[in-house]
Amino acid sequence: MADVALAPSPAPDAPRTRSADLIARSLSRRRRAEVRFRAYGLAAVIAAIAFVVFLFWTILQSGLPAFFQAAMTVEVTLDPAVIDVGPRPVRADFPNEAAFAAADLAWQTALAGKNFGSLIERAVNAVLATPASSRDIRAIYASNERFRLRDMVAADPGLIGRTIPFTLVASADVDVWFKGNIDRSLPENQQQLTLAQQQITDAMIADGTMKSVFASWIFTNVDSRSSPATAGLAGAFMGSLFMMLVVIALSVPIGVAGAIYLEEFAPKNRITDLIEVNINNLAAVPSIVFGLLGAAVFINAMHLPLSAPIVGGLVLSLMTLPTIIIATRGVLRAVPPSIREAATGLGASRVQVVFHHVLPLVIPGILTATIIGVAQALGETAPLLLVGMSAFVANIPTGLFDQSTALPVQLFLWQGNENRNFFEPRTSAAIIVLLGLMILLNALAIFLRQRFQTRW
Amino acid sequence: MDQPASPPTKMGVSVTSRATEGSAAAAPVKVSAQNVDVFYGEKHAIKGVSINIPERSVTAFIGPSGCGKSTFLRCINRMNDLIEGCRVTGRILLDDDDINDRSVDVVLLRARVGMVFQKPNPFPKSIYDNVAYGPKIHGLARTRAEMDAIVEQSLRKAALWDEVKDRLKEPGTGLSGGQQQRLCIARAIAVSPEVILMDEPCSALDPIATARIEELIDELRQNYTIIIVTHSMQQAARVSQQTAFFHLGNLVETGSTEFMFTNPHDQRTQDYITGRFG
Ligand SMILES: Nc1ncnc2c1ncn2[C@@H]1O[C@H](COP(=O)(O)OP(=O)(O)OP(=O)(O)O)[C@@H](O)[C@H]1O
Ligand SMILES: [Mg+2]
């Protein structure tokens, strides 16, 4: 460039051709820059897509098989000699509700004390060529199945005395063996199943008694330590759901109202500047710090129950608030001032301007911000660990104050389980559920945005 | 830049404001500004402007770009309140009431003094809702039929009714630029203001739409007091009865349009009108 400018003085008609020359030369340079830039962009996008595909592929590959588990269908004879505890009490025979309740409870306790395991043992032995020991049989199926059989009988005492087909979920170790997730050539002392148990399993696979079935209990059961094969996500799912409700109920109205106030009504001065800086800083605070805050304030100071969705939800709301406020202020600022001027010029008050004209325009943006914030909160683990939501909970929570856990925390717990061969695919399955939920939320965000979009 | 400071005029007088001369002097004063100064932070945008705007007539504000026409216009319905760091001093009287007085409700003021902006800015709502919005918030119509009547009347006055009567439910933003501007005028007159401020209402319009709006302004003059900012000398000459010439924040000269265009007192006015600067 510089040497061209210093070149000997041009002929009279030269300037035009020379500048055209210069432009032509710079054109090819500019075009090269453009091509380069596009190549970088394309490479970045391809790399990103490749990572996402890889991620989904690995998760689906390892997680999908976990939705199917080994189970064996056997004919269980509900022998009255073993489990009969007489007819279930009926309300009409008792003078009052309390007496009936006591009798019914006694009946249930009596039933619970019966040996359902021996019924299952008989049924399993019936399909085996050579009878197995009760220890081996108990190792084959998930221990929870005994209670499931008992509950079936309690719900319908008429079954007593009949023979019913019953699908036993195989134990976690058998499932691992069934799926070949463990090296069969390892010596017996390094296997989870004894030689005898391996033989029983193989025999059942060979004669078709043991099959792969869809593990619907992943969605309906709660976590279980004693019976990992029938452990499910229902408790964690409900816990997450309750927390999301708390987050939506608290952070959306407070965040949106706060953003509207700060953006539209608050005077611009030192104090509001300070508030703005602080909100921006809050958005950058590591989430675990919110967990510490929650533990100190909600649990130690306010004595809210440990491990409850209300506390987890409060902590996540604190975390989501800055995100929602910042995003809402962003969309409010993007509303063209001409709309505000038009309404103000007609004599609309400030509140009318905001609620009649500005808000309808920004609702899609607010929805998107909200759902992204909520999705973020849904996937958050660290702060929940600090308010006790990693505790083992064996019941599905029914309210905000019940003990519960959360989906990402459940993931974390399963990933840390010592039975890795069984729980690694299980973790991936849980990730699939979590991702599915997130994708659903995002789809909802997109749908709502399209729905409320104002044609401009 | 050709004429920096204010030199003595041909007639040897140099005043910032001149009493009205000629025909319009008889009409009662609707808006009266007395020593109005406007500051945007440190910037002194309007410097001691005093002017009387007569009722039921058209007053044109002319002057080079950046001289403060819009700023002054926006003072009259206090739109400058919306601007961060804008400060207005002096008195502006609407029918003898100071509009900056604490007791004045700015909502009522803006209902009495309507505004049409330089850029058409219909709401992203239906044509009907655009016009009905003002009457709705002020409670001017008690029934649906009354509202329909107001909308129709306003659109008729703005010479838009025939073009949109079959598509009142369609978005106002789907109209052409000129139609949008007339929609904004209809929206402004639907509230029945006493004064209408128009900031370069024709700057984005083709000659035909411009002519229609000028016709409209001429009609509206029967019932409303109109103040119009324009960069077109011809337009000022065609539609206005009074003209005020602004320069660098000063009101240089004001008087009847006829008089201003044929016999301006100030050298700067003459230069501007004849196209020598601006
Ligand atoms: N919001 C604002 N903040 C700061 N200065 C402003 C603002 N609005 C206008 N000004 C300044 O005030 C002066 C007058 O502006 P104004 O918009 O009134 O000019 P105008 O006469 O309407 O010009 P135009 O004919 O180009 O519309 C200008 O120098 C402008 O830079
Ligand atoms: Mg202007």
Side-chain angles (χ1 to χ4, degrees), chain A residues 378-451:
Chain A
L378 179 65
E380 199 56 65
T381 319
L384 299 182
L385 299 180
L386 294 183
V387 293
M389 301 211 63
S390 60
F392 173 76
V393 179
N395 289 311
I396 296 181
T398 53
L400 295 179
F401 292 87
D402 284 1
Q403 290 213 322
S404 88
T405 175
L407 276 180
V409 177
Q410 186 69 68
L411 261 171
F412 172 78
L413 293 177
W414 280 358
Q415 181 66 22
N417 191 292
E418 59 279 6
N419 192 348
R420 302 195 66 81
N421 287 333
F422 181 70
F423 273 102
E424 261 176 20
R426 253 309 170 81
T427 312
S428 296
I431 291 176
I432 292 174
V433 172
L434 189 63
L435 282 180
L437 207 59
M438 297 248 191
I439 290 173
L440 212 68
L441 278 179
N442 278 310
L444 184 71
I446 293 168
F447 169 74
L448 289 174
R449 198 170 50 203
Q450 305 287 2
R451 183 75 209 290

Side-chain angles (χ1 to χ4, degrees), chain B residues 56 217-224:
Chain B
R56 291 174 206 271
I217 292 171
D218 209 47
E219 264 174 56
L220 292 175
R221 170 158 70 91
Q222 314 303 324
N223 301 306
Y224 304 92

Side-chain angles (χ1 to χ4, degrees), chain A residues 270-447:
Chain A
R270 280 266 180 80
I271 297 172
T272 44
D273 281 353
L274 195 72
I275 291 175
E276 171 153 15
V277 169
N278 273 310
I279 290 173
N280 291 342
N281 286 341
L282 273 185
V285 166
S287 60
I288 196 152
V289 176
F290 285 104
L292 282 171
L293 177 82
V297 174
F298 300 129
I299 291 174
N300 288 343
M302 290 168 63
H303 301 295
L304 287 172
L306 211 63
S307 317
I310 180 81
V311 177
L314 282 168
V315 168
L316 294 181
S317 300
L318 287 182
M319 218 192 70
T320 314
L321 260 177
T323 315
I324 291 185
I325 294 180
I326 291 172
T328 304
R329 293 188 70 175
V331 292
L332 283 174
R333 238 171 268 166
V335 172
S338 65
I339 295 297
R340 290 172 222 267
E341 286 195 334
T344 310
L346 281 175
S349 67
R350 236 158 138 173
V351 172
Q352 285 173 325
V353 173
V354 170
F355 283 89
H356 294 167
H357 299 283
V358 178
L359 268 191
L361 289 178
V362 299
I363 278 179
I366 292 180
L367 280 175
T368 315
T370 301
I371 291 174
I372 288 172
V374 169
Q376 230 173 42
L378 179 65
E380 199 56 65
T381 319
L384 299 182
L385 299 180
L386 294 183
V387 293
M389 301 211 63
S390 60
F392 173 76
V393 179
N395 289 311
I396 296 181
T398 53
L400 295 179
F401 292 87
D402 284 1
Q403 290 213 322
S404 88
T405 175
L407 276 180
V409 177
Q410 186 69 68
L411 261 171
F412 172 78
L413 293 177
W414 280 358
Q415 181 66 22
N417 191 292
E418 59 279 6
N419 192 348
R420 302 195 66 81
N421 287 333
F422 181 70
F423 273 102
E424 261 176 20
R426 253 309 170 81
T427 312
S428 296
I431 291 176
I432 292 174
V433 172
L434 189 63
L435 282 180
L437 207 59
M438 297 248 191
I439 290 173
L440 212 68
L441 278 179
N442 278 310
L444 184 71
I446 293 168
F447 169 74

Side-chain angles (χ1 to χ4, degrees), chain A residues 267-268 338-350 352-353 356-357 360-361 454-456, chain B residues 74 79 82 84 107 110-111 113-115 117 121-125 133-134 137-138 173 187-188 191:
Chain A
K268 304 278 175 282
S338 65
I339 295 297
R340 290 172 222 267
E341 286 195 334
T344 310
L346 281 175
S349 67
R350 236 158 138 173
Q352 285 173 325
V353 173
H356 294 167
H357 299 283
L361 289 178
T454 317
R455 266 168 301 159
W456 198 243
Chain B
R74 293 163 59 96
M79 285 302 279
L82 296 188
E84 205 71 36
V107 166
R110 290 181 187 140
V113 183
M115 182 149 194
F117 296 84
N121 55 356
F123 300 127
K125 298 174 192 273
Y133 182 68
I137 57 172
H138 296 304
T173 39
R187 184 175 66 184
V191 192

Side-chain angles (χ1 to χ4, degrees), chain A residues 94-317:
Chain A
F94 293 88
N96 57 40
E97 194 67 46
F100 166 70
D104 196 55
L105 189 67
W107 182 85
Q108 286 190 37
T109 315
L111 191 68
K114 296 297 170 185
N115 193 349
F116 284 87
S118 69
L119 296 183
I120 293 177
E121 194 180 317
R122 266 190 238 164
V124 172
N125 266 328
V127 298
L128 293 178
T130 48
S133 74
S134 45
R135 194 175 141 264
D136 284 344
I137 291 179
R138 276 168 196 260
I140 297 280
Y141 68 91
S143 62
N144 189 52
E145 297 303 80
R146 288 199 290 276
F147 308 122
R148 192 159 66 88
L149 187 64
R150 178 198 68 199
D151 292 345
M152 261 171 76
V153 173
D156 181 9
L159 289 174
I160 294 175
R162 289 173 45 197
T163 299
I164 55 165
F166 189 73
T167 303
L168 286 165
V169 177
S171 69
D173 295 333
V174 168
D175 185 64
V176 170
W177 181 264
F178 175 83
K179 284 176 179 157
N181 285 346
I182 192 164
D183 187 356
R184 291 192 175 212
S185 60
L186 288 174
E188 188 188 0
N189 62 4
Q190 289 178 30
Q191 295 279 4
Q192 302 288 339
L193 295 178
T194 64
L195 211 53
Q197 292 160 2
Q198 293 171 17
Q199 281 160 358
I200 300 173
T201 307
D202 284 341
M204 287 178 126
I205 296 172
D207 69 9
T209 311
M210 189 178 286
K211 286 194 296 264
S212 181
V213 302
F214 180 67
S216 58
W217 51 89
I218 290 183
F219 303 100
T220 55
N221 279 7
V222 291
D223 195 17
S224 169
R225 292 237 168 114
S226 57
S227 175
T230 56
L233 288 169
F237 189 90
M238 285 308 286
S240 278
L241 198 71
F242 281 128
M243 286 195 292
M244 290 309 102
L245 288 182
V246 174
V247 170
I248 292 172
L250 287 180
S251 62
V252 174
I254 297 178
V256 171
I260 290 174
Y261 177 74
L262 283 176
E263 198 56 40
E264 305 282 338
F265 296 100
K268 304 278 175 282
N269 57 30
R270 280 266 180 80
I271 297 172
T272 44
D273 281 353
L274 195 72
I275 291 175
E276 171 153 15
V277 169
N278 273 310
I279 290 173
N280 291 342
N281 286 341
L282 273 185
V285 166
S287 60
I288 196 152
V289 176
F290 285 104
L292 282 171
L293 177 82
V297 174
F298 300 129
I299 291 174
N300 288 343
M302 290 168 63
H303 301 295
L304 287 172
L306 211 63
S307 317
I310 180 81
V311 177
L314 282 168
V315 168
L316 294 181
S317 300

